[in-house]
Amino acid sequence: VCRSNKSPWVCLTCSSVHCGRYVNGHAKKHYEDAQIPITNHKKTEKQEKVQHTVCMDCSSYSTYCYRCDDFVVNDTKMGLVQKVREHLQNLENSAFTSDRHRKRKLLENSSLNSKLLKVNGSTTALCATGLRNLGNTCFMNAILQSLSNIQQFCCYFKELPAVELRNGKTAGRRTYHTRSQGDNNVSLVEEFRKTLCALWQGSQTAFSPESLFYVVWKIMPNFRGYQQQDAHEFMRYLLDHLHLELQGGFNGVSRSVILQENSNLSASNKCCINGASTVVTAIFGGILQNEVNCLICGTESRKFDPFLDLSLDIPSQFRNKRTKNQESGPMCTLRDCLRSFTDLEELDETELYMCHKCKKKQKSTKKFWIQKLPKVLCLHLKRFHWTAYLRNKVDTYVEFPLRGLDMKCYLLEPENSGPESCLYDLVAVVVHHGSGVGSGHYTAYAAHEGRWFHFNDSTVTLTDEETVGKAKAYILFYVERQAKPGAEKL
């Protein structure tokens, strides 16, 4: 109907193919048009047989029922749904074989295909794999692609032993989950591991993270539904739940034991958050010192807070959008945001500090110091803020360095750090396109083996540092620069 080749859904009653609910919804319209008005209860059973309620996603082979308004896992007694899956798989394989020769010719010409790059005089093919959008899941895809390019973090999960959640007759067979399925035998770590393993394998087709999304729906109710979600909020929930699951045992194996056996991270580099240390806190964990001073009696209060990321305000003087007639003012930099976060600040009337010496709430000042820097520094720019009725977006461009972000001046004890232990290099950037938090689109830029890629759901393209530097960053991932061999702490 709409000539779209995205997300084709086939009706399992009449074999008509329409675009799915994530595109223009013509499959749903087909279902609605097939409905027959029910006049009495006697005809109901007969009419149900001709209603086109069940269809299949031709990309992921998952079955969807419009009456249940959910993906379903049930099959007929004769296994007819599985036969349809196998038939579609055969069609896809034959189409792939016949199309392989044409694709090979295109790949030979690097000027026609941006997925090729000359490295040391030889041409190499793009090895990155995109992630299918399952219906406004770009927020998840951007975070997953960013995390997959943080080498130390990604390698840890990829090296974990696989967890077999099934046994008996279903062992080794692909399962098609329903998000209303009643089993609790799910593992976020396992599905996260599978997703990371599927990326960077050189697959020409995008990977569908449906199984991971099913687990997300199971254990993170906030993300149920198909509305746009906040990528930063999802990242925090994801890391928190991975951290919690890694602390416990699964399938008889303690993840904490695996961390100690397989990880090269020393205990001194770990930052515990909510219990034992895991790879999440070992990689992303840092410690802040929160220093509050009472302006009445001068009493000083210090508190140490662990963090997995830092949320930075964009200073108010850079938020105003300038018209063409106005002179361009100073450009906002990441250093401006970091300085705003760590500078001495007087708390307003709504944030009065309870002074233990004065025995009442008093005016006070607050200042943050970084007591311990993480291996991967995640910086979240607060682009969304609440006004009286709306949540607006700050669209200000913030200049950020791709190499050599120096965090030494924000440390509590900079004299105890090495010459390069405070330097960070950019590895990934998440960008929000659009005006509102509940709308728009997320993409990510990430560096892999010296090359920059742009991840836009299923599409992955090579890009350059200049393009990355112009992005209006929402989340920045910086990796600690490794000290040169033989270098000693000053």
Side-chain angles (χ1 to χ4, degrees), residues 137-209:
T137 57
C138 56
F139 68 92
M140 178 177 74
N141 292 347
I143 293 298
L144 292 175
Q145 294 286 15
S146 298
L147 295 177
S148 76
N149 286 283
I150 299 172
Q151 189 174 5
Q152 198 172 11
F153 184 71
C154 179
C155 286
Y156 168 80
F157 284 94
K158 288 165 71 174
E159 291 171 4
L160 283 177
V163 176
E164 186 55 71
L165 298 177
R166 290 164 282 123
N167 50 42
K169 295 181 180 180
T170 59
R173 288 178 56 188
R174 185 177 177 184
T175 55
Y176 297 86
H177 293 296
T178 166
R179 293 182 187 120
S180 60
Q181 202 171 354
D183 68 304
N184 294 315
N185 193 23
V186 295
S187 168
L188 180 64
V189 171
E190 173 65 1
E191 293 305 332
F192 185 66
R193 183 194 70 81
K194 289 178 182 177
T195 302
L196 293 181
C197 288
L199 303 176
W200 297 106
Q201 290 187 341
S203 173
Q204 294 294 316
T205 57
F207 176 74
S208 178

Side-chain angles (χ1 to χ4, degrees), residues 114-117 124-128 200 202 204 451 453 460-462:
S114 63
K115 292 189 175 184
L116 290 179
L117 184 72
T124 58
L126 179 68
C127 56
W200 297 106
Q204 294 294 316
R451 295 179 289 173
F453 296 87
V460 183
T461 53
L462 278 167

Side-chain angles (χ1 to χ4, degrees), residues 125-289:
L126 179 68
C127 56
T129 301
L131 287 167
R132 285 200 180 106
N133 192 315
L134 306 176
N136 282 330
T137 57
C138 56
F139 68 92
M140 178 177 74
N141 292 347
I143 293 298
L144 292 175
Q145 294 286 15
S146 298
L147 295 177
S148 76
N149 286 283
I150 299 172
Q151 189 174 5
Q152 198 172 11
F153 184 71
C154 179
C155 286
Y156 168 80
F157 284 94
K158 288 165 71 174
E159 291 171 4
L160 283 177
V163 176
E164 186 55 71
L165 298 177
R166 290 164 282 123
N167 50 42
K169 295 181 180 180
T170 59
R173 288 178 56 188
R174 185 177 177 184
T175 55
Y176 297 86
H177 293 296
T178 166
R179 293 182 187 120
S180 60
Q181 202 171 354
D183 68 304
N184 294 315
N185 193 23
V186 295
S187 168
L188 180 64
V189 171
E190 173 65 1
E191 293 305 332
F192 185 66
R193 183 194 70 81
K194 289 178 182 177
T195 302
L196 293 181
C197 288
L199 303 176
W200 297 106
Q201 290 187 341
S203 173
Q204 294 294 316
T205 57
F207 176 74
S208 178
E210 189 178 65
S211 294
L212 175 62
F213 197 40
Y214 157 71
V215 176
V216 168
W217 276 37
K218 270 288 191 186
I219 66 177
M220 305 180 202
N222 296 24
F223 297 95
R224 288 177 184 169
Y226 297 96
Q227 66 273 23
Q228 184 64 279
Q229 302 280 0
D230 183 80
H232 174 251
E233 186 180 1
F234 172 75
M235 182 197 74
R236 285 307 311 269
Y237 270 87
L238 178 67
L239 292 179
D240 287 345
H241 280 82
L242 287 172
H243 172 64
L244 289 172
E245 190 174 315
L246 285 166
Q247 286 183 78
F250 196 87
N251 205 30
V253 181
S254 171
R255 295 299 193 186
S256 299
V257 171
I258 296 170
L259 173 65
Q260 292 168 10
E261 291 178 351
N262 296 352
S263 177
N264 294 323
L265 304 168
S266 64
S268 60
N269 288 329
K270 296 176 182 178
C271 171
C272 295
I273 299 175
N274 297 329
S277 173
T278 68
V279 69
V280 175
T281 53
I283 297 288
F284 292 95
I287 300 175
L288 279 177
Q289 177 182 284

Side-chain angles (χ1 to χ4, degrees), residues 11 18 30 40 74 104 106 109 127 164 177 227 245 252 262 284 306 323 327 333 352 357 371 397 442 447 484:
C11 174
H18 296 86
H30 172 72
N40 57 63
N74 297 333
R104 188 177 298 155
L106 288 174
N109 190 343
C127 56
E164 186 55 71
H177 293 296
Q227 66 273 23
E245 190 174 315
N262 296 352
F284 292 95
T323 61
E327 294 183 7
T333 66
L352 291 179
K357 188 174 181 180
Q371 198 265 342
Y397 170 73
Y442 287 99
K484 295 178 181 177

Side-chain angles (χ1 to χ4, degrees), residues 246-344:
L246 285 166
Q247 286 183 78
F250 196 87
N251 205 30
V253 181
S254 171
R255 295 299 193 186
S256 299
V257 171
I258 296 170
L259 173 65
Q260 292 168 10
E261 291 178 351
N262 296 352
S263 177
N264 294 323
L265 304 168
S266 64
S268 60
N269 288 329
K270 296 176 182 178
C271 171
C272 295
I273 299 175
N274 297 329
S277 173
T278 68
V279 69
V280 175
T281 53
I283 297 288
F284 292 95
I287 300 175
L288 279 177
Q289 177 182 284
N290 185 355
E291 190 176 289
V292 180
N293 282 281
C294 175
L295 291 175
I296 307 302
C297 69
T299 299
E300 185 180 273
S301 173
R302 293 180 182 178
K303 182 183 177 184
F304 291 96
D305 297 314
F307 68 87
L308 293 178
D309 69 316
L310 298 178
S311 291
L312 311 178
D313 279 307
I314 297 174
S316 55
Q317 64 266 32
F318 298 107
R319 293 184 188 178
N320 297 328
K321 292 184 178 179
R322 299 179 180 275
T323 61
K324 292 182 180 180
N325 298 329
Q326 288 180 307
E327 294 183 7
S328 58
M331 182 181 292
C332 182
T333 66
L334 187 59
R335 185 168 290 275
D336 291 319
C337 300
L338 284 165
R339 192 181 297 117
S340 174
F341 179 77
T342 55
D343 275 354
L344 189 69

Side-chain angles (χ1 to χ4, degrees), residues 74-86 173:
N74 297 333
D75 201 345
T76 65
K77 291 181 179 179
M78 303 295 292
L80 296 177
V81 175
Q82 184 58 33
K83 288 181 180 178
V84 174
R85 286 195 183 106
E86 292 170 358
R173 288 178 56 188

